[in-house]
Amino acid sequence: MKLKRASNTGKWLIESPEFCHWLADDKQDHLSRVLWIHGAPGVGKSILCGTVIEYLQKRQAKIEAKVRPLAYFFYDSSFVTRRTPFDICKALILQLQSQSPEPLPALQATYRSAALHGRSHISDADDVFSLFGRVAAEVESLYIVVDALDECTGVPTVIKWLLGVTSSITSIRLIIFSRDTLNIRKGFAGFPSLDLTVDLMKPDIEIYLSES
């Protein structure tokens, strides 16, 4: 994934207390492993989401110890039909498999079962949400980043699934970018959040003006 953005855009977010607390290891409680970042339309949420993804990728490349896989769903306006809970789940599963040197056992079992029923492609019949949970448990630790949740269909379903898997697997870190809509606010009630106010975005606006 390559984004067009000015250099150092989003640095303030990476250095923010909210993000640093979310990133810290050895957290067992569910709440601290989730971060919801929200803001008005056009404030630059997708740019910041890209900054987080690139930061995590570079951070992992520098770590000599066991790497924590990264799976993300990035909003693309050109694919209007690929915003369902199934699409998000499938995209995350495919990314996890691509980062594994061997076929993941849960995926192998699902593939064999599908083949027995004459299916050659993953589908709703495979119960992808349950499959994702089994796959995530196999990789042991994981970063999940979701962009533009408000642009997706079935938002309550996505939230319930992601919070459920994050709750059951303590090594997962989940970060969500979206507008502040009622159903999303309700879904993440009680979880850490960050409101992208004008004051917070000021450093990025200044960088934009200086490099334009």
Side-chain angles (χ1 to χ4, degrees):
M1 180 200 63
K2 200 68 177 177
L3 297 168
K4 287 184 65 177
R5 61 183 179 87
S7 59
N8 291 322
T9 297
K11 184 179 179 181
W12 66 267
L13 174 59
I14 301 302
E15 297 175 347
S16 69
E18 292 85 356
F19 183 81
C20 291
H21 181 68
W22 172 82
L23 188 64
D25 289 327
D26 302 324
K27 294 197 297 290
Q28 295 300 315
D29 63 296
H30 187 200
L31 293 179
S32 63
R33 290 183 283 109
V34 176
L35 179 59
W36 173 40
I37 298 179
H38 53 87
V43 77
K45 296 183 295 296
S46 289
I47 293 295
L48 290 174
C49 182
T51 298
V52 167
I53 291 170
E54 291 181 6
Y55 172 79
L56 293 174
Q57 289 172 331
K58 291 177 181 178
R59 182 176 185 270
Q60 292 302 90
K62 295 178 182 179
I63 298 176
E64 295 181 359
K66 187 174 182 179
V67 173
R68 182 191 298 269
L70 165 65
Y72 60 86
F73 182 84
F74 199 79
Y75 174 69
D76 187 340
S77 59
S78 61
F79 294 105
V80 178
T81 61
R82 300 183 185 177
R83 304 177 191 170
T84 68
F86 174 84
D87 295 322
I88 297 174
C89 190
K90 184 178 76 168
L92 299 183
I93 292 172
L94 291 175
Q95 288 178 57
L96 292 181
Q97 177 56 69
S98 70
Q99 296 173 68
S100 174
E102 303 291 339
L104 295 166
L107 275 177
Q108 290 187 67
T110 300
Y111 173 77
R112 287 194 295 267
S113 176
L116 288 174
H117 292 84
R119 291 185 285 107
S120 59
H121 299 284
I122 192 169
S123 70
D124 290 324
D126 295 309
D127 189 3
V128 292
F129 302 111
S130 176
L131 174 60
F132 179 84
R134 298 195 301 276
V135 169
E138 289 174 358
V139 299
E140 296 183 2
S141 60
L142 172 65
Y143 292 120
I144 301 175
V145 183
V146 176
D147 175 49
L149 178 60
D150 54 283
E151 297 286 354
C152 301
T153 63
V155 168
T157 298
V158 176
I159 294 176
K160 181 179 179 180
W161 156 54
L162 288 175
L163 290 183
V165 74
T166 307
S167 175
S168 61
I169 304 176
T170 60
S171 55
I172 289 181
R173 302 284 186 277
L174 169 67
I175 189 166
I176 300 286
F177 289 81
S178 77
R179 288 183 291 173
D180 185 359
T181 63
L182 182 60
N183 59 345
I184 296 179
R185 174 167 289 279
K186 181 178 179 181
F188 288 106
F191 287 88
S193 64
L194 180 61
D195 184 9
L196 299 177
T197 63
V198 173
D199 287 342
L200 285 179
M201 298 299 294
K202 186 178 179 181
D204 288 349
I205 294 173
E206 292 175 345
I207 290 173
Y208 167 76
L209 292 173
S210 67
E211 297 192 8
S212 60

